[in-house]
Amino acid sequence: MKVFAVKLSVFLLITYFMGFVLEQLYQNKLPETICNKYDWVFSKKNEKYDVGFLGSSRVLNMLDADTIEKTSKYSAINLGFSGTSLQEQYLILKKLYGNGCKFQKIYLQLDLFTLITPTLAYSYPFHEYEFLSDLSDNDVEEVMRQFKPTYRYFLWKYLPFAKYAEFNTRYSFTRVLSGHCYNSDEATIIHKGFEKPAVRVSSERTDIFRTLHSKRLDTIVYNCDSVTASYADKIIDLAKKNGSLVTVYTAPLYKDVKSRYSNHKIFTNRIKNICEKFNCGYYNYGEDEMCNDSSFFNDGTHLNAKGTSYLSLKLAETLFNKL
Amino acid sequence: MLFNSFSFLLFFPIVTLLYYILPHKYRWAILLFASCFFYMYFIPAFILVLLFTIVLDYWVGLQMEKAPGKKRQILILSLIANIGILFIFKYFNFFNTNLAVVAERIGWNYPIENLRIILPIGLSFHTFQAMSYTIEVYRGNQKAERHFGIYALYVMYYPQLVAGPIERPQNILHQFHTKISPTYVNIVEGLKRMLWGMFKKMVIADGIANMVNPVFGNPESYLGISCVVAAILFAFQIYCDFSGYSDIALGASRVMGITLMENFNTPYFSRSVSEFWSRWHISLSTWFKDYVYIPLGGNRTSKTKLYRNLIVIFLISGLWHGASWNFVIWGALHAFYTIFALIIVNNYFNLNKAGDVRKPKLYKAIQIVTTFLLVSFAWIFFRASDLGSALKFISQCSTGYYDYFSGILKAAEHNKGLALLKTIDPLILHRNLTHIWPILFSILILLNFDIVLYRNRGIFTRAFTIKKLPLRWGFYFLLLFYILFFGSFHNSQEFIYFQF
């Protein structure tokens, strides 16, 4: 057994060393390849923007940064990421500030979906694989522990290469070697982070109808999640500390969808309280007349191209007197 | 708990360490506790089903020894209880649905509704293992186990609890009683086998799953050639999925010094379907042979009865895998292949009398390929979600060849290299998948290993031995990092046989 113990130790030592070397290789090589919006946003170093729009898919697909720039002449970037919780949005913003990026103003999209328990709102609320190189950051650790089992966090942190092995389809060996992306998300990157709403085959009305009849919307009454809501405070606080003004807005929600949530006003009040606390401006497009017109919507919670253009113009108007 | 999970990566060394640290008299307890934890990791409540069969069959074993005159009745009681549980959880809805359909046809208002229950994981496996115990005690081949904990461990032993091998009490019970010291050979051979199993499951099986699942899910969107390639790849997927599981199970058990029975012996090198069944899922095939086929008369009976026995055995085997018509057809196809070979090939081509030695290699190769294709065709019924989907898939296999080949010819005029390769690619694999070529290359590694294994008559330790240490270790590292680079971790699939 002594022989076994010695051989096993040597084997593990070599494995550890090889893992360590590979991890260094990955960490150096991966940022060189931009494959998706996260890569693109995190590649920004020491850049200055007049305005950044932060949020989930209700920013990603609903805020055209090009339109904002053309209308207002202010430089804009869409920082919306599909299915991201406020916790993740906080980490994204922190990383950007850490990279030396400056924003005169941050527009933060808050609504009912962003303030409830993230696992109810999004199928995968924290994209941990986008933060694997930041595991030593305390905030990343805190969010990781909220969403992932602790042992996995430690495994990724202390076992070399484990984190890249687990997500090897995303961080493939071929990507590291060739610097080539398998599925580059160029469309989003070209439009300054804005992903155009999908063109639906079925009619818009059918989609809205489908959304309204989905079980999730019909039966669940949501409550505000205090931990998640505290990240709205953290985001605003972080932005202010980095010299950015913060404006909060609520994106439009189709009227019939909103009426399903009997307590939606509680969330509006909560958002107003946050804004008062930090002295931020607040635009509630959830009460806008466009919410009554299904021709602006792709589904109950997302705008179509027409709606996106309309909202982008409206938000651009608010920029003129505020910057 | 899945073998290919981080949880198991922690679970296995802890359990093994505790197993060896504890005195022999307590080892059964740590293994039983670990097995309960392993099983309850899926759906905890189902352990009650297991507990019921364990208590019943433990009592049955003792009673059969206590009252030999009544042991037939006691055995029947045990079989009814075990099969009854299996029937309720697995087959009730199937038979009930079909009865309802028949009733509707004849205008009878059928009142019984389907049960709303989930099939406990690995139910068919541990039920068959439990039945094996009572039958062997009945036959006098095995003494009734007096130690309740050890009997419970026999049914619940975690490496083979949810997907076999389906053990016989003679093979395993005595090993739980024997004091086992850790040995270099056991631990190293066990770990090697686990590594090989992980490679098969995580790289090949899960990798292929990502390729073929879309095709089986929506065959109408694919050309016929894509469906054919998907069917062939599925044959590798299921082999690597199940034999990979068995390798990990055998390896994990070997590390603890407990030897489980072999479950696979290079099945795709079989030269007939009947040979395939002596090499595929051996623990189940021998179970059916020992407890159903031979009691029915086996081979030593008239031809008509022999064919009947074969049909019965394959239909039961089909139903064992799943309560659905596609599994029945899958079993029936294998029965047809076997009987067809017996009637036509043996009678008219006189193959058995020729003798293996004189047959040229090409002839053997043709036999192997033919058997593989027949088995792969049958797998379509196994993989499909229902009979309708299987038939739709098969009909789709015959479409679109003209478009495909004319497309290639047109593309060849304008494209070369990778661009041309992408038009040839029958699964349109390049669209969403990153690891196609490494996975296809890993199939070659598998085939190469299976050839070595085949030549070594299925003896794993001989096939996996490379004498020079640097080469040996190089191979281990190659496998390990191949898994890390190309294995499925984040989107790992459950083992296919868990559902049975």
Side-chain angles (χ1 to χ4, degrees):
Chain A
M1 284 312 294
K2 210 174 176 181
V3 181
F4 171 73
V6 171
K7 280 189 174 178
L8 184 69
S9 305
V10 174
F11 188 86
L12 291 177
L13 212 65
I14 297 173
T15 309
Y16 189 90
F17 175 73
M18 287 168 77
F20 180 79
V21 171
L22 279 167
E23 185 162 306
Q24 298 307 310
L25 178 76
Y26 271 57
Q27 255 164 5
N28 289 328
K29 285 277 182 186
L30 284 174
E32 291 174 11
T33 326
I34 293 171
C35 296
N36 60 27
K37 188 174 173 184
Y38 282 94
D39 298 334
W40 179 71
V41 166
F42 293 158
S43 72
K44 304 282 172 200
K45 302 261 166 35
N46 303 313
E47 292 199 18
K48 288 182 180 173
Y49 294 94
D50 292 321
V51 60
F53 293 90
L54 187 64
S56 60
S57 62
R58 276 162 55 76
V59 169
L60 172 72
N61 302 128
M62 287 165 55
L63 200 291
D64 186 353
D66 273 334
T67 305
I68 298 273
E69 282 198 356
K70 279 174 195 161
T71 317
S72 68
K73 307 295 179 198
Y74 291 125
S75 61
I77 183 169
N78 181 320
L79 300 174
F81 290 87
S82 186
T84 52
S85 57
L86 280 178
Q87 286 89 327
E88 184 169 342
Q89 291 170 33
Y90 169 72
L91 295 181
I92 291 166
L93 193 63
K94 190 183 171 190
K95 189 154 178 167
L96 276 168
Y97 283 128
N99 286 350
C101 293
K102 303 271 183 204
F103 301 92
Q104 277 203 55
K105 196 160 196 172
I106 289 290
Y107 268 63
L108 175 64
Q109 202 283 135
L110 289 181
D111 57 26
L112 177 147
F113 305 110
T114 58
L115 295 175
I116 60 173
T117 306
T119 44
L120 293 174
Y122 311 109
S123 59
Y124 204 86
F126 177 53
H127 302 79
E128 76 282 39
Y129 43 79
E130 302 295 351
F131 300 91
L132 295 181
S133 57
D134 306 307
L135 293 177
S136 49
D137 184 295
N138 290 339
D139 286 317
V140 172
E141 179 180 344
E142 194 181 313
V143 177
M144 284 263 183
R145 282 163 176 254
Q146 280 178 41
F147 290 99
K148 303 289 157 189
T150 310
Y151 79 90
R152 278 177 74 187
Y153 169 75
F154 284 115
L155 206 69
W156 292 335
K157 192 172 179 184
Y158 295 111
L159 195 66
F161 197 62
K163 57 191 177 193
Y164 293 118
E166 179 163 354
F167 299 100
N168 60 15
T169 46
R170 187 165 293 273
Y171 304 115
S172 69
F173 191 49
T174 42
R175 175 178 163 182
V176 171
L177 287 185
S178 67
H180 171 73
C181 296
Y182 215 76
N183 293 309
S184 181
D185 194 5
E186 284 167 5
T188 306
I189 296 163
I190 289 167
H191 297 286
K192 299 182 176 66
F194 166 60
E195 187 180 294
K196 286 186 175 178
V199 178
R200 303 298 175 101
V201 177
S202 53
S203 73
E204 289 160 7
R205 285 191 172 277
T206 313
D207 277 351
I208 290 166
F209 181 79
R210 195 182 298 148
T211 307
L212 294 177
H213 284 81
S214 73
K215 202 178 172 187
R216 193 171 75 161
L217 293 177
D218 277 346
T219 53
I220 298 172
V221 175
Y222 292 129
N223 293 311
C224 188
D225 177 52
S226 57
V227 176
T228 305
S230 74
Y231 275 85
D233 292 7
K234 281 182 137 189
I235 289 171
I236 298 171
D237 200 36
L238 175 73
K240 291 204 161 191
K241 276 180 184 162
N242 282 278
S244 307
L245 288 168
V246 180
T247 297
V248 176
Y249 77 99
T250 300
L253 196 64
Y254 185 59
K255 63 176 170 59
D256 288 355
V257 177
K258 196 168 69 182
S259 67
R260 300 273 161 180
Y261 306 107
S262 53
N263 60 345
H264 70 88
K265 282 191 177 156
I266 293 171
F267 289 90
T268 311
N269 290 335
R270 182 76 186 241
I271 296 167
K272 281 179 181 166
N273 288 341
I274 292 170
C275 293
E276 277 172 22
K277 184 177 164 189
F278 289 95
N279 197 21
C280 305
Y282 176 52
Y283 298 100
N284 186 1
Y285 298 103
E287 305 293 336
D288 193 276
E289 58 189 21
M290 73 187 290
C291 299
N292 301 323
D293 187 350
S294 66
S295 71
F296 284 110
F297 288 86
N298 217 346
D299 58 39
T301 52
H302 294 90
L303 297 173
N304 57 20
K306 181 185 165 190
T308 300
S309 173
Y310 181 84
L311 177 68
S312 302
L313 285 170
K314 281 219 159 196
L315 276 166
E317 282 171 21
T318 68
L319 288 170
F320 283 112
N321 302 321
K322 302 284 178 180
L323 282 177
Chain B
M1 189 183 295
L2 293 173
F3 280 158
N4 54 332
S5 65
F6 280 118
S7 320
F8 187 72
L9 196 71
L10 296 176
F11 171 88
F12 175 69
I14 292 170
V15 171
T16 308
L17 210 66
L18 285 173
Y19 172 77
Y20 277 127
I21 288 171
L22 282 175
H24 170 66
K25 60 178 177 178
Y26 299 122
R27 282 182 181 170
W28 67 267
I30 184 66
L31 280 184
L32 186 59
F33 176 77
S35 302
C36 290
F37 181 80
F38 185 88
Y39 190 75
M40 290 168 78
Y41 207 81
F42 297 107
I43 298 175
F46 284 146
I47 198 141
L48 297 174
V49 180
L50 258 177
L51 190 67
F52 172 75
T53 53
I54 287 168
V55 171
L56 177 84
D57 291 326
Y58 172 73
W59 176 82
V60 162
L62 293 176
Q63 289 306 307
M64 280 198 283
E65 275 196 353
K66 216 186 239 178
K70 290 182 180 171
K71 67 180 185 178
R72 191 179 173 82
Q73 292 93 313
I74 297 169
L75 175 71
I76 290 168
L77 171 79
S78 161
L79 294 180
I80 288 172
N82 281 296
I83 295 169
I85 287 172
L86 204 55
F87 181 82
I88 290 167
F89 280 99
K90 192 164 177 174
Y91 300 107
F92 178 83
N93 286 351
F94 172 66
F95 285 104
N96 195 48
T97 306
N98 284 296
L99 269 177
V101 170
V102 173
E104 197 184 319
R105 290 265 166 90
I106 58 172
W108 175 39
N109 189 17
Y110 188 71
I112 303 169
E113 288 194 2
N114 278 351
L115 299 173
R116 289 183 184 179
I117 46 174
I118 306 168
L119 179 67
I121 202 156
L123 181 69
S124 303
F125 285 95
H126 49 73
T127 305
F128 268 45
Q129 183 146 325
M131 290 201 300
S132 170
Y133 168 78
T134 50
I135 295 169
E136 291 299 338
V137 172
Y138 169 79
R139 288 178 176 178
N141 298 332
Q142 172 68 40
K143 282 189 174 178
E145 177 58 54
R146 304 254 178 268
H147 193 302
F148 179 75
I150 293 212
Y151 175 71
L153 185 58
Y154 162 75
V155 180
M156 291 202 65
Y157 183 45
Y158 84 84
Q160 40 87 260
L161 171 60
V162 286
I166 303 166
E167 276 295 347
R168 304 296 183 276
Q170 302 94 310
N171 180 38
I172 198 165
L173 270 173
H174 70 92
Q175 296 191 66
F176 293 137
H177 286 285
T178 311
K179 188 180 176 184
I180 297 163
S181 302
T183 67
Y184 179 85
V185 175
N186 276 344
I187 294 174
V188 172
E189 291 305 325
L191 290 175
K192 276 191 219 173
R193 188 137 202 188
M194 289 176 80
L195 183 66
W196 182 241
M198 294 280 186
F199 172 77
K200 284 207 265 189
K201 165 65 181 162
M202 296 173 78
V203 178
I204 307 179
D206 286 355
I208 292 177
N210 291 330
M211 296 185 203
V212 304
N213 284 352
V215 187
F216 275 97
N218 193 11
E220 295 99 326
S221 308
Y222 292 85
L223 298 172
I225 192 158
S226 306
C227 295
V228 171
V229 172
I232 289 169
L233 282 176
F234 178 72
F236 285 103
Q237 184 199 339
I238 191 155
Y239 171 50
C240 290
D241 193 280
F242 193 22
S243 72
Y245 177 90
S246 295
D247 284 331
I248 301 168
L250 266 79
S253 189
R254 179 86 190 264
V255 170
M256 290 184 288
I258 295 165
T259 309
L260 298 177
M261 71 186 291
E262 289 291 339
N263 219 9
F264 290 88
N265 180 9
T266 59
Y268 289 150
F269 288 98
S270 306
R271 287 155 53 195
S272 66
V273 173
S274 57
E275 188 188 344
F276 171 81
W277 279 104
S278 67
R279 291 169 171 273
W280 177 275
H281 202 175
I282 297 166
S283 64
L284 181 71
S285 311
T286 50
W287 197 102
F288 279 128
K289 188 180 129 199
D290 293 345
Y291 304 130
V292 185
Y293 185 67
I294 290 174
L296 282 173
N299 293 337
R300 293 173 186 174
T301 181
S302 67
K303 277 191 177 176
T304 320
K305 281 187 178 172
L306 169 65
Y307 301 151
R308 179 206 65 187
N309 294 349
L310 285 168
I311 290 169
V312 167
I313 211 84
F314 279 113
L315 288 181
I316 295 176
S317 175
L319 271 176
W320 180 90
H321 284 86
S324 167
W325 282 110
N326 49 314
F327 286 107
V328 176
I329 299 293
W330 174 74
L333 257 177
H334 278 277
F336 170 75
Y337 292 156
T338 312
I339 293 168
F340 182 82
L342 280 174
I343 297 172
I344 308 292
V345 182
N346 288 353
N347 285 348
Y348 293 95
F349 296 92
N350 217 8
L351 292 181
N352 283 346
K353 291 170 190 170
D356 282 357
V357 186
R358 288 181 206 163
K359 287 173 188 167
K361 280 184 180 174
L362 180 66
Y363 182 80
K364 287 182 184 176
I366 290 170
Q367 283 184 312
I368 288 171
V369 171
T370 309
T371 306
F372 174 76
L373 291 175
L374 289 172
V375 170
S376 297
F377 176 73
W379 284 134
I380 294 171
F381 290 92
F382 191 96
R383 170 62 182 79
S385 51
D386 52 53
L387 188 57
S389 307
L391 296 174
K392 200 187 286 176
F393 186 90
I394 290 165
S395 72
Q396 191 67 18
C397 282
S398 60
T399 62
Y401 288 91
Y402 177 78
D403 292 344
Y404 173 69
F405 287 109
S406 60
I408 289 174
L409 289 175
K410 274 183 195 166
E413 291 171 12
H414 307 290
N415 300 314
K416 277 180 184 164
L418 195 64
L420 179 61
L421 206 62
K422 282 183 178 179
T423 58
I424 294 170
D425 176 357
L427 285 184
I428 321 172
L429 297 173
H430 57 274
R431 220 179 254 174
N432 298 313
L433 300 162
T434 48
H435 293 159
I436 299 145
W437 299 111
I439 291 161
L440 295 180
F441 179 68
S442 64
I443 294 176
L444 291 180
I445 300 176
L446 168 85
L447 286 174
N448 184 49
F449 181 81
D450 267 14
I451 288 169
V452 180
L453 198 62
Y454 183 64
R455 285 180 181 155
N456 283 289
R457 295 173 187 277
I459 299 167
F460 186 86
T461 45
R462 271 198 230 160
F464 213 89
T465 300
I466 305 165
K467 283 185 181 167
K468 288 185 178 171
L469 186 126
L471 280 179
R472 196 166 65 238
W473 280 42
F475 184 61
Y476 301 156
F477 282 120
L478 177 79
L479 278 188
L480 182 65
F481 280 92
Y482 211 94
I483 293 170
L484 293 178
F485 286 143
F486 307 117
S488 290
F489 291 89
H490 194 55
N491 297 316
S492 59
Q493 317 264 327
E494 268 198 1
F495 288 91
I496 294 171
Y497 266 72
F498 273 22
Q499 61 184 301
F500 309 133

Coordinates of all heavy atoms in Angstrom, one line a residue, chain B residues 114-147:
Chain B
N114 N -55.7 6.0 -14.9 CA -54.3 5.7 -14.7 C -53.8 6.2 -13.4 O -54.3 7.2 -12.9 CB -53.4 6.3 -15.8 CG -53.4 5.5 -17.1 OD1 -53.8 4.3 -17.1 ND2 -52.9 6.0 -18.2
L115 N -52.7 5.5 -12.8 CA -52.2 6.0 -11.6 C -51.2 7.2 -11.8 O -50.5 7.2 -12.9 CB -51.4 4.9 -10.9 CG -52.2 3.6 -10.6 CD1 -51.2 2.5 -10.1 CD2 -53.2 3.9 -9.5
R116 N -51.2 8.1 -10.9 CA -50.3 9.2 -11.0 C -49.1 9.0 -10.1 O -49.0 9.5 -9.0 CB -51.0 10.5 -10.7 CG -52.0 10.9 -11.7 CD -52.7 12.2 -11.3 NE -53.7 12.5 -12.3 CZ -54.5 13.6 -12.2 NH1 -54.3 14.5 -11.3 NH2 -55.4 13.8 -13.1
I117 N -48.2 8.1 -10.6 CA -47.0 7.8 -9.8 C -45.8 7.9 -10.7 O -45.9 7.7 -11.9 CB -47.1 6.4 -9.1 CG1 -47.6 5.4 -10.1 CG2 -48.0 6.5 -7.9 CD1 -47.6 4.0 -9.6
I118 N -44.7 8.1 -10.0 CA -43.4 8.1 -10.8 C -42.7 6.8 -10.5 O -42.8 6.3 -9.4 CB -42.5 9.3 -10.3 CG1 -43.3 10.6 -10.3 CG2 -41.2 9.4 -11.1 CD1 -42.5 11.7 -9.6
L119 N -42.0 6.3 -11.5 CA -41.3 5.1 -11.4 C -40.1 5.3 -10.6 O -39.2 6.1 -10.9 CB -40.9 4.6 -12.8 CG -40.1 3.3 -12.9 CD1 -41.0 2.1 -12.5 CD2 -39.6 3.1 -14.3
P120 N -40.0 4.5 -9.4 CA -38.7 4.6 -8.6 C -37.5 4.3 -9.5 O -37.6 3.3 -10.3 CB -39.0 3.6 -7.5 CG -40.4 3.4 -7.4 CD -40.9 3.6 -8.8
I121 N -36.5 5.0 -9.3 CA -35.3 4.8 -10.1 C -34.7 3.4 -9.9 O -34.6 2.9 -8.7 CB -34.3 5.9 -9.8 CG1 -33.3 6.1 -10.9 CG2 -33.5 5.8 -8.5 CD1 -32.7 7.5 -11.0
G122 N -34.3 2.7 -11.0 CA -33.7 1.4 -10.9 C -34.6 0.3 -10.4 O -34.1 -0.7 -9.9
L123 N -35.9 0.5 -10.4 CA -36.8 -0.5 -9.7 C -36.7 -1.9 -10.3 O -36.6 -2.9 -9.6 CB -38.3 0.0 -9.9 CG -39.3 -0.9 -9.3 CD1 -39.3 -0.9 -7.7 CD2 -40.8 -0.5 -9.7
S124 N -36.6 -1.9 -11.7 CA -36.5 -3.2 -12.3 C -35.2 -4.0 -11.9 O -35.2 -5.2 -11.8 CB -36.5 -3.1 -13.8 OG -37.6 -2.4 -14.2
F125 N -34.1 -3.2 -11.7 CA -32.8 -3.8 -11.3 C -32.9 -4.4 -9.9 O -32.6 -5.6 -9.8 CB -31.7 -2.7 -11.4 CG -31.3 -2.4 -12.8 CD1 -31.8 -1.3 -13.4 CD2 -30.3 -3.2 -13.4 CE1 -31.4 -1.0 -14.7 CE2 -29.9 -2.8 -14.7 CZ -30.5 -1.8 -15.4
H126 N -33.3 -3.6 -9.0 CA -33.2 -4.2 -7.6 C -34.3 -5.2 -7.3 O -34.2 -6.1 -6.5 CB -33.1 -3.1 -6.5 CG -34.0 -2.0 -6.6 ND1 -35.3 -2.1 -6.2 CD2 -33.9 -0.7 -6.9 CE1 -35.9 -0.9 -6.3 NE2 -35.1 0.0 -6.7
T127 N -35.5 -5.1 -8.1 CA -36.5 -6.1 -7.9 C -36.0 -7.4 -8.4 O -36.2 -8.5 -7.8 CB -37.8 -5.7 -8.7 OG1 -38.2 -4.4 -8.2 CG2 -38.9 -6.6 -8.4
F128 N -35.3 -7.4 -9.6 CA -34.8 -8.6 -10.1 C -33.7 -9.2 -9.3 O -33.6 -10.4 -9.1 CB -34.3 -8.4 -11.6 CG -35.3 -8.6 -12.6 CD1 -36.6 -8.2 -12.5 CD2 -35.0 -9.4 -13.8 CE1 -37.6 -8.4 -13.4 CE2 -36.0 -9.6 -14.7 CZ -37.3 -9.1 -14.6
Q129 N -32.9 -8.3 -8.7 CA -31.8 -8.8 -7.8 C -32.5 -9.5 -6.5 O -32.0 -10.5 -6.1 CB -30.9 -7.7 -7.4 CG -29.8 -8.1 -6.5 CD -28.5 -7.3 -6.7 OE1 -28.2 -6.9 -7.9 NE2 -27.8 -7.1 -5.7
A130 N -33.5 -8.9 -6.0 CA -34.2 -9.4 -4.9 C -34.8 -10.8 -5.2 O -34.7 -11.8 -4.4 CB -35.3 -8.5 -4.3
M131 N -35.4 -10.9 -6.4 CA -36.1 -12.1 -6.8 C -35.0 -13.2 -7.0 O -35.2 -14.4 -6.7 CB -36.9 -11.9 -8.1 CG -38.1 -11.1 -7.9 SD -39.4 -11.3 -9.1 CE -38.6 -10.8 -10.6
S132 N -33.8 -12.8 -7.5 CA -32.8 -13.7 -7.7 C -32.4 -14.4 -6.4 O -32.2 -15.6 -6.3 CB -31.6 -13.0 -8.3 OG -30.4 -13.8 -8.3
Y133 N -32.4 -13.6 -5.3 CA -32.1 -14.2 -4.0 C -33.1 -15.2 -3.5 O -32.8 -16.4 -3.2 CB -32.1 -13.0 -2.9 CG -32.0 -13.5 -1.5 CD1 -30.8 -14.0 -0.9 CD2 -33.2 -13.5 -0.7 CE1 -30.8 -14.4 0.4 CE2 -33.1 -13.9 0.6 CZ -31.9 -14.3 1.2 OH -31.9 -14.8 2.5
T134 N -34.4 -14.9 -3.6 CA -35.4 -15.8 -3.1 C -35.5 -17.1 -4.0 O -35.6 -18.2 -3.5 CB -36.8 -15.2 -3.1 OG1 -37.1 -14.6 -4.4 CG2 -37.0 -14.1 -2.0
I135 N -35.2 -16.9 -5.3 CA -35.2 -18.1 -6.2 C -34.0 -19.0 -5.8 O -34.2 -20.3 -5.8 CB -35.2 -17.7 -7.7 CG1 -36.5 -17.0 -8.0 CG2 -35.1 -19.0 -8.6 CD1 -36.5 -16.3 -9.4
E136 N -32.9 -18.4 -5.6 CA -31.7 -19.2 -5.3 C -31.8 -19.9 -3.9 O -31.4 -21.0 -3.8 CB -30.4 -18.4 -5.3 CG -30.0 -17.9 -6.7 CD -29.7 -19.0 -7.7 OE1 -29.4 -20.1 -7.3 OE2 -29.8 -18.7 -8.9
V137 N -32.5 -19.2 -3.0 CA -32.7 -19.9 -1.7 C -33.7 -21.0 -1.9 O -33.5 -22.1 -1.3 CB -33.2 -18.9 -0.6 CG1 -33.6 -19.6 0.7 CG2 -32.2 -17.8 -0.3
Y138 N -34.7 -20.8 -2.7 CA -35.7 -21.8 -2.9 C -35.0 -23.1 -3.6 O -35.3 -24.2 -3.2 CB -36.7 -21.3 -3.9 CG -37.7 -22.3 -4.4 CD1 -38.7 -22.8 -3.7 CD2 -37.5 -22.8 -5.7 CE1 -39.6 -23.8 -4.2 CE2 -38.4 -23.8 -6.3 CZ -39.4 -24.3 -5.5 OH -40.2 -25.2 -6.0
R139 N -34.1 -22.8 -4.5 CA -33.4 -23.9 -5.2 C -32.4 -24.6 -4.4 O -31.8 -25.6 -4.8 CB -32.8 -23.4 -6.5 CG -33.8 -23.0 -7.6 CD -33.0 -22.5 -8.8 NE -34.0 -22.2 -9.9 CZ -33.6 -21.7 -11.1 NH1 -32.3 -21.4 -11.3 NH2 -34.5 -21.5 -12.0
G140 N -32.0 -24.0 -3.2 CA -31.0 -24.5 -2.4 C -29.6 -24.2 -2.8 O -28.6 -24.7 -2.2
N141 N -29.4 -23.3 -3.7 CA -28.1 -22.9 -4.1 C -27.5 -21.8 -3.2 O -26.3 -21.5 -3.2 CB -28.1 -22.3 -5.5 CG -28.6 -23.3 -6.5 OD1 -28.4 -24.5 -6.3 ND2 -29.2 -22.8 -7.6
Q142 N -28.4 -21.2 -2.4 CA -27.9 -20.2 -1.5 C -28.6 -20.3 -0.1 O -29.8 -20.5 -0.1 CB -28.2 -18.8 -2.1 CG -28.0 -17.6 -1.2 CD -26.5 -17.4 -0.9 OE1 -25.7 -17.5 -1.8 NE2 -26.2 -17.1 0.3
K143 N -27.8 -20.2 1.0 CA -28.4 -20.3 2.3 C -29.1 -18.9 2.6 O -28.6 -17.9 2.1 CB -27.3 -20.5 3.3 CG -26.9 -22.0 3.4 CD -26.0 -22.2 4.6 CE -25.7 -23.7 4.8 NZ -24.8 -24.0 5.9
A144 N -30.1 -19.0 3.3 CA -30.8 -17.7 3.6 C -29.9 -16.9 4.5 O -29.2 -17.4 5.4 CB -32.1 -18.0 4.4
E145 N -29.9 -15.6 4.2 CA -29.0 -14.7 4.9 C -29.6 -14.3 6.3 O -30.8 -13.9 6.3 CB -28.8 -13.4 4.1 CG -27.9 -12.3 4.7 CD -26.6 -12.8 5.1 OE1 -25.8 -13.3 4.3 OE2 -26.2 -12.7 6.3
R146 N -28.9 -14.5 7.3 CA -29.4 -14.3 8.7 C -29.2 -12.8 9.1 O -30.0 -12.3 9.8 CB -28.7 -15.1 9.7 CG -28.7 -16.6 9.4 CD -29.7 -17.3 10.3 NE -29.8 -18.8 10.0 CZ -30.7 -19.3 9.2 NH1 -31.6 -18.5 8.6 NH2 -30.7 -20.5 8.9
H147 N -28.2 -12.2 8.6 CA -27.9 -10.8 9.0 C -28.7 -9.8 8.1 O -28.5 -9.7 6.9 CB -26.4 -10.6 8.7 CG -25.9 -9.3 9.3 ND1 -26.4 -8.1 9.1 CD2 -24.8 -9.1 10.2 CE1 -25.7 -7.2 9.8 NE2 -24.8 -7.8 10.5

